[in-house]
Amino acid sequence: MALKVLVGCKRVIDYAVKIRVRPDKLGVVTDGVKHSMNPFDEIAVEEAVRMKEKKIAKEVVVVSCGPAQSQETIRTALAMGADRGVHIEIPADQMTVLQPIHVSKILAKLAEKEAADVVMLGKLAIDDDSNQTAQMTASLLDWPQGVFASKVEQKDSGLEVVREVDGGLETIKINLPAVLSADLRLNEPRYATLPNIMKAKKKKIEKIKPEDLGVDVAPRIEVVSVEDPPVREAGQSVGDVDELLGKLKDKGFSS
Amino acid sequence: MFFKQISRFTRYPKLRSLTVQSYRNLQTSQDKAGLASSRLREDDRDRLRQELEQIVGSKNVSSSESVLQQHGQDEGPHKGMPPDLVVYPSSVQETSAVCKVCSGSGVPIIPHGTGTGLEGGTSALSGGVCVDVTKHMEEILAIHHEDFCAVVQPGVSREGLNQSLKADGLWFPVDPGANASICGMCATGASGTNAVRYGTIKENVLNLEVVLADGRIIQTAGIDGRPRKSSAGYNLTSLFVGSEGTLGVITSATVRLHAVPETIAAAVVSFPSVQDAVSAVVSTLQCSVPMARIEFLDEVQMMACNKYSGLEYPETPHLFLEFHGSESEVHSQAEFVKEITSQFGGGEFQWAVQQEDRTRLWTARHRAYYANVALRAGCRCVTTDVCVPISRLPEIITSTKEDIQKNGLIGPIVGHVGDGNFHTMLLFDPDDADEQRKCKEVADRMARRAIAVGGTCTGEHGVGMGKINLLKEQFGEDGIGVMKNIKQALDPLNVMNPGKVFL
């Protein structure tokens, strides 16, 4: 049973960048800032490509929601071995209010349109830390979910997924079609090579608007303000226990 | 290779807290080389501080004890000495102004990268101003994809650059182990495990922007130049690579990038003896197999690695190999080398292609340094770094092991045998001066043996403080004389990192 895998990937600010709050305090500075594929999505793409190499999957379609630059992220996934891409066009200024509920509706509709057997996502995006999209997508599709996957194997007509949970590792067996989300230890993603980057330029990227899928992405939230975390105050050295007690008393900690 | 060290020295050096070596250096350097100045007096320091604050801003000058200590100490066994002040310039112009001020008052200037060196290069032997160019100058100024090069400031580390290049199919292959500043790597003439195929930093620098002691700013390969080759003028780039901060402060480097290999395969083989392993290496290179990495670990090192990482390798000499190329190239290279290793008594040829499997196979090699320091709790080590012509490698390793055993020391050996370069980590108890002395003597004898067979006393770590005498032996009077002429021409007041490389 060769599966069709739909992989979601998100273009986020690179993890190594120092984030700065915009002067208008309504977001973070994104202009001229280095962006890259969400690290968990890299792991998801890598897993999908390995499934194709192991002949478990027959086609890997990668999807990204965002402005024109999201196509760079899709190209990176294509260079890693995905077959073709779908770019869901969202204007740049709407990205701050595009939420997992919108994305999961889009992915659900797309999964049906593409007749996907597996929807593969990163467990969370490093900019909003939501960890909601995979679960919501599964719910909308009424498909089983294997989230925080650290191992995925074919088992009979379904999948066996080892999940990283607080207590350790949980192994579940789920039927197909299913939604999976990749955790850190699922694999180590490959680096794109120059020949593959060249080849990726020729692979197809389809452009779709959310309305074409019948999904309404009107904002449901309004960003009121974005602020830096409070500046860490300097510590104070004290000379002896009495001085320490005195200072604690001053701060209002009764002895 | 690197390890974390707890620094325990006072702010102004009390003689008894210096190691024997650095005390000797301090004495001789003060006596002979006419050092620019000894440690600053309080009022001199305050005046200097004000001048520096005018240039970089008051927030970017520090005299806090922990900052000074941290900047004087690198990751080697030499007890580092703190500078009088640390400054953090934000531009090459500020760096130039700082150098002018320091030179003007004869105050030593110590350039500082990531502090991951091993030869005491950042130790402020006679105090002075440490110029930390990594804090505010940390941009990748340009990546020229089609020209396969990148321009980086001192704050850009090797891993940082590679992370930025991840989606571009390019990488920077010089890997000295530590996540060092690339400009710092230029200053020390760094190398690493990939040198056998991709070269050391020397072969991978196209241009350097350098601030001289008098504040002049130059670009060693021409203004904004990045040609692959040039016949124009003296080769200044080569002059500054490996100068260890004694000729100028490197404020940006244009480095070569390489294509990410299509396929990478890793392999591990055990051998019945050191001779067999090294002979296998010599044969492999003689057949001109384009090895990407050949690392040698002796049985003591394997024992340490097994203990530390919970592995179960046989405690015999091993080779850790890496092949780069297209799928078919890698396959045929691996098969070919497998035949060679079995000719020399090599055991099972374990190999892997998948990223995680390769990482697992190489775990032993990656954690070698930590594994060694863990062998004896609380010990430190003298790390040797000789490099010899490959044909002389077997005899050098054998005589080194004999020397180590004769002196009752523990000295695991790990080496980039593809370059004829290997490291022993001679462990000593920091409270046992006798043991430390023995380690130093074994290390010195090793270096002398290497020099005697046409090699060098330092393949990649630099001279720093510890190998000044060996450098003299390696080059002779006139060789050192020319180096001193150059130093005199570019830094007549001897303010640039005094007491390093030579006296």
Side-chain angles (χ1 to χ4, degrees):
Chain A
M1 51 136 176
L3 308 169
K4 186 163 177 185
V5 183
L6 180 69
V7 185
C9 62
K10 185 179 182 187
R11 178 178 177 265
V12 298
I13 295 179
D14 190 84
Y15 84 88
V17 168
K18 274 192 205 137
I19 307 287
R20 287 193 332 260
V21 175
R22 274 188 355 218
D24 65 5
K25 296 217 167 185
L26 288 175
V28 298
V29 177
T30 53
D31 278 341
V33 166
K34 175 146 173 88
H35 285 64
S36 48
M37 192 191 298
N38 179 35
F40 292 102
D41 299 344
E42 281 177 354
I43 297 174
V45 172
E46 172 67 24
E47 194 64 18
V49 171
R50 288 192 191 183
M51 283 168 79
K52 205 173 73 155
E53 286 169 351
K54 285 190 243 181
K55 309 256 197 293
I56 301 172
K58 65 171 186 272
E59 193 187 7
V60 176
V61 180
V62 67
V63 55
S64 187
C65 304
Q69 297 97 319
S70 290
Q71 292 198 28
E72 288 161 19
T73 311
I74 297 174
R75 291 270 171 228
T76 304
L78 294 172
M80 284 171 73
D83 296 296
R84 61 182 167 83
V86 177
H87 172 209
I88 310 286
E89 293 173 296
I90 309 276
D93 54 11
Q94 269 194 44
M95 287 307 285
T96 45
V97 288
L98 184 75
Q99 290 183 275
I101 183 72
H102 301 122
V103 176
S104 49
K105 284 181 182 173
I106 292 170
L107 290 176
K109 282 278 162 46
L110 196 60
E112 283 170 345
K113 178 170 178 274
E114 291 280 349
D117 300 299
V118 175
V119 174
M120 188 91 174
L121 307 175
K123 76 169 180 185
L124 56 79
I126 59 171
D127 51 5
D128 58 17
D129 277 349
S130 293
N131 179 18
Q132 298 168 17
T133 309
Q135 294 86 337
M136 283 187 186
T137 308
S139 174
L140 288 167
L141 288 165
D142 198 25
W143 288 5
Q145 51 180 277
V147 294
F148 315 131
S150 65
K151 196 157 174 201
V152 176
E153 272 172 357
Q154 226 178 8
K155 191 89 183 246
D156 307 322
S157 58
L159 297 173
E160 187 176 272
V161 179
V162 178
R163 310 178 52 230
E164 295 194 13
V165 297
D166 285 350
L169 297 172
E170 180 192 53
T171 308
I172 58 172
K173 211 183 127 194
I174 55 176
N175 296 326
L176 290 166
V179 177
L180 304 173
S181 84
D183 208 324
L184 195 61
R185 277 156 280 270
L186 180 58
N187 60 49
E188 263 184 63
R190 67 196 60 193
Y191 285 67
T193 62
L194 287 175
N196 287 341
I197 292 172
M198 285 286 153
K199 277 188 221 157
K201 288 193 183 145
K202 300 199 191 97
K203 294 184 182 174
K204 269 187 135 130
I205 300 182
E206 193 189 344
K207 287 196 264 288
I208 307 182
K209 292 199 179 49
E211 310 82 89
D212 300 338
L213 293 170
V215 175
D216 176 15
V217 290
R220 298 154 70 109
I221 59 165
E222 183 196 335
V223 176
V224 173
S225 83
V226 177
E227 294 185 13
D228 280 305
V231 176
R232 192 174 159 194
E233 282 173 31
Q236 290 175 28
S237 282
V238 292
D240 52 33
V241 177
D242 290 322
E243 200 185 334
L244 173 64
L245 290 176
K247 288 234 156 84
L248 287 174
K249 250 197 214 135
D250 290 339
K251 299 258 174 195
F253 296 98
S254 53
S255 54
Chain B
M1 282 152 286
F2 54 92
F3 67 98
K4 281 269 177 283
Q5 181 175 345
I6 305 164
S7 42
R8 32 196 165 113
F9 48 84
T10 52
R11 186 173 175 196
Y12 286 96
K14 296 195 180 82
L15 294 180
R16 60 182 149 79
S17 71
L18 293 173
T19 61
V20 172
Q21 185 64 37
S22 57
Y23 169 59
R24 244 189 257 134
N25 282 343
L26 183 56
Q27 279 289 313
T28 10
S29 58
Q30 281 181 333
D31 292 342
K32 288 197 185 143
L35 279 174
S37 82
S38 42
R39 287 191 179 272
L40 294 171
R41 287 193 320 268
E42 197 85 32
D43 44 351
D44 284 336
R45 200 185 74 179
D46 290 336
R47 222 175 311 127
L48 179 63
R49 191 201 184 111
Q50 274 180 13
E51 281 191 79
L52 295 173
E53 284 182 2
Q54 295 272 355
I55 302 169
V56 296
S58 56
K59 273 210 196 122
N60 291 315
V61 182
S62 176
S63 57
S64 116
E65 188 168 336
S66 47
V67 171
L68 296 179
Q69 280 183 0
Q70 185 199 33
H71 279 80
Q73 180 68 53
D74 67 8
E75 296 195 346
H78 302 95
K79 273 211 177 91
M81 286 158 67
D84 293 293
L85 293 167
V86 174
V87 298
Y88 302 101
S90 302
S91 68
V92 64
Q93 288 77 17
E94 282 184 13
T95 311
S96 164
V98 166
C99 287
K100 277 199 195 113
V101 163
C102 292
S103 292
S105 315
V107 172
I109 300 166
I110 297 110
H112 192 281
T114 42
T116 46
L118 295 172
E119 296 293 338
T122 57
S123 178
L125 294 174
S126 21
V129 173
C130 173
V131 182
D132 183 338
V133 277
T134 61
K135 187 165 177 187
H136 296 308
M137 295 167 68
E138 44 174 5
E139 302 235 347
I140 298 172
L141 296 173
I143 298 178
H144 300 286
H145 294 91
E146 285 160 12
D147 298 324
F148 283 70
C149 65
V151 187
V152 298
Q153 289 186 322
V156 177
S157 68
R158 165 185 71 83
E159 283 176 16
L161 178 58
N162 278 326
Q163 176 63 29
S164 286
L165 295 170
K166 217 157 78 155
D168 299 339
L170 298 169
W171 73 311
F172 174 71
V174 186
D175 176 6
N179 187 20
S181 145
I182 293 177
C183 291
M185 286 164 61
C186 296
T188 54
S191 172
T193 49
N194 289 311
V196 62
R197 171 124 164 211
Y198 296 96
T200 67
I201 192 79
K202 256 184 217 119
E203 289 83 43
N204 286 288
V205 184
L206 293 173
N207 199 350
L208 292 173
E209 181 185 71
V210 185
V211 176
L212 302 175
D214 58 11
R216 279 181 293 170
I217 305 169
I218 62 160
Q219 293 192 49
T220 56
I223 299 170
D224 294 339
R226 54 177 208 273
R228 273 297 187 83
K229 57 187 194 185
S230 174
S231 258
Y234 293 163
N235 191 345
L236 297 179
T237 309
S238 273
L239 176 65
F240 284 94
V241 171
S243 58
E244 303 186 45
T246 58
L247 296 178
V249 185
I250 298 174
T251 50
S252 111
T254 305
V255 293
R256 283 184 65 178
L257 303 174
H258 297 254
V260 170
E262 200 185 303
T263 312
I264 301 179
V268 179
V269 203
S270 68
F271 286 86
S273 76
V274 170
Q275 181 72 39
D276 290 316
V278 180
S279 302
V281 171
V282 175
S283 284
T284 304
L285 294 170
Q286 286 282 325
C287 296
S288 97
V289 179
M291 298 301 303
R293 282 184 163 127
I294 329 181
E295 294 289 298
F296 168 79
L297 278 70
D298 78 344
E299 69 282 0
V300 183
Q301 182 65 69
M302 293 311 295
M303 182 263 297
C305 292
N306 279 345
K307 253 178 143 167
Y308 183 74
S309 303
L311 302 166
E312 283 167 3
Y313 286 105
E315 284 172 21
T316 56
H318 273 68
L319 285 184
F320 282 68
L321 311 158
E322 206 170 85
F323 307 90
H324 293 182
S326 71
E327 213 174 313
S328 53
E329 281 168 0
V330 162
H331 199 86
S332 66
Q333 282 172 30
E335 285 298 319
F336 193 74
V337 174
K338 183 170 162 192
E339 265 186 61
I340 296 178
T341 58
S342 66
Q343 270 173 35
F344 288 96
E348 185 199 339
F349 193 83
Q350 305 177 54
W351 69 304
V353 179
Q354 208 77 282
Q355 183 95 19
E356 306 89 82
D357 299 331
R358 281 191 278 120
T359 306
R360 195 179 32 84
L361 264 188
W362 269 73
T363 303
R365 172 63 186 90
H366 281 139
R367 306 238 180 100
Y369 207 91
Y370 294 112
N372 291 336
V373 182
L375 272 179
R376 273 173 69 187
C379 70
R380 286 170 32 206
C381 67
V382 172
T383 308
T384 67
D385 176 37
V386 303
C387 184
V388 299
I390 294 170
S391 57
R392 312 306 291 262
L393 197 55
E395 75 184 71
I396 271 263
I397 294 187
T398 312
S399 45
T400 297
K401 283 177 80 73
E402 274 170 20
D403 202 355
I404 293 173
Q405 269 162 14
K406 216 175 6 164
N407 281 275
L409 300 169
I410 304 176
I413 294 183
V414 61
H416 321 301
V417 287
D419 311 313
N421 177 211
F422 69 99
H423 307 291
T424 60
M425 282 166 252
L426 302 163
L427 304 173
F428 66 88
D429 179 351
D431 294 324
D432 186 346
D434 197 52
E435 202 174 27
Q436 183 175 7
R437 185 187 45 84
K438 269 201 210 150
C439 287
K440 194 68 178 67
E441 284 168 3
V442 169
D444 282 353
R445 279 196 291 274
M446 252 182 85
R448 295 208 167 87
R449 257 179 252 124
I451 295 170
V453 298
T456 171
C457 63
T458 169
E460 46 185 26
H461 294 168
V463 173
M465 297 172 5
K467 296 185 179 145
I468 294 177
N469 290 326
L470 293 166
L471 191 70
K472 275 206 198 104
E473 286 180 39
Q474 189 168 330
F475 281 86
E477 282 282 345
D478 289 335
I480 297 284
V482 171
M483 291 195 205
K484 287 188 175 169
N485 293 147
I486 296 172
K487 169 78 168 171
Q488 181 69 22
L490 294 177
D491 179 23
L493 298 173
N494 192 17
V495 290
M496 295 302 311
N497 212 2
K500 312 287 169 57
V501 186
F502 48 68
L503 297 174

